Amino acid sequence: MSVQADMPVLRRSSRLSRTLLPYLLSLPALLVCIGILVPFVTAIYYSLQRYRMSQPWNRGMNWGENYLNFFTDSSFWNTLQVSLVYAGLTVGIELVLGLAIALLLQRRSRVNNFVSIMLLMPLMTAPALAALMFKLMTNPNFGILSYFMQLAGFQDFRWASSPDTALLTVILVDVWVYTPFIMILLLAGLRSLPTQPFEAAALDGVPRFEQFWRITLPMLSPYILTAALFRLLDSIQQFDIIYAMTQGGPGNRLMVFQVEAYLNFFQSTNVGRSAALLLILWVITYALSNVFVKNWLRLRERAKGGA
């Protein structure tokens, strides 16, 4: 009798556990979402304020004045230009180099596998440490890169200390650190491509160059777009390499969004302007990611149609 009496209780407990299980499983995602939304909403709130920590008595809502001031602020347009140029150059160079290296290592062999693993070593280095390492190597007194430039006939090459070469220097560091990321993504894509189209093209006598442009590149384009999206979103938010090497200088030559927001917050204590800069950066990255994702979906549908 006691067993029969306990059966309804067990059924109710089982139904309750099945009801609560989806909510328990989604709880970590909910906590992450809250952890993202709370700082985001706080940043929006601060961006609408006239808020300097050095002038707490002057704090108040200015309802978008921080954003309107950007239209007449030449430093903001310089920041926008530098950020876009830096992101475009780094991603373009890294895509070309990463694709070239991936094509060289496409054939599976022990040597190629070993080389691909060794080429990942820069990616394991913290970007700030890589920047400090290049800062030492480009030192005009004892840096090895400066020594090589002198051997090549370039005396007193100033690297990051000159406005003319500072962008080239930080791009060099970025390319050294992140090209392996592009390479490994494209190498995985190349090795996953079907072999039948290439075998048919070889039987028809199609040159290797034509195979690359007409078969390899179209089939690899979703991987290229994915790699470009990840690197573009990271490059346009670059902070550690630029700040570790130049702190946005010389002058404002490398004043990207993250560096300017950092300096506005910690040096000028202008919380409102710093938050507004970061929100504009968020809008730019959101728009770019939407463009890339739409193009990626279109390329995937085209690939399915071709299959």
Side-chain angles (χ1 to χ4, degrees), residues 9 12 23 27 33 48-50 61 75 93 97 115-116 129 146 156 158 161 165 196 207 210 214 224 240 255 277 289:
V9 177
R12 286 196 298 270
Y23 298 99
L27 184 60
C33 184
L48 298 175
Q49 291 188 8
R50 182 178 56 257
M61 301 295 291
S75 64
I93 296 172
L97 291 178
V115 172
S116 64
L129 292 179
S146 295
D156 193 27
R158 299 177 61 191
S161 60
T165 56
Q196 293 85 354
E210 288 291 326
R214 296 183 180 275
I224 296 175
D240 36 15
M255 193 63 68
L277 280 168
S289 61

Side-chain angles (χ1 to χ4, degrees), residues 5 29 54 57 64 87-88 96 108 113 117-118 141 161 190 201 209 212 216 219 242 246 259 266:
S54 59
W57 60 87
V96 172
R108 295 179 184 272
N113 291 338
I117 292 172
M118 294 305 296
N141 297 321
S161 60
L190 284 170
F209 186 76
F212 172 76
T216 304
M219 295 175 67
I242 295 176
T246 68
V259 174
F266 288 100

Side-chain angles (χ1 to χ4, degrees), residues 122 125-139 142-145 173 176-177 244-245:
T125 307
L129 292 179
L132 293 176
M133 180 179 67
F134 270 84
K135 197 171 184 178
L136 292 174
M137 290 194 298
T138 56
N139 187 286
F142 54 80
I144 187 170
L145 292 181
V173 182
W176 183 81
V177 173
M245 290 205 73

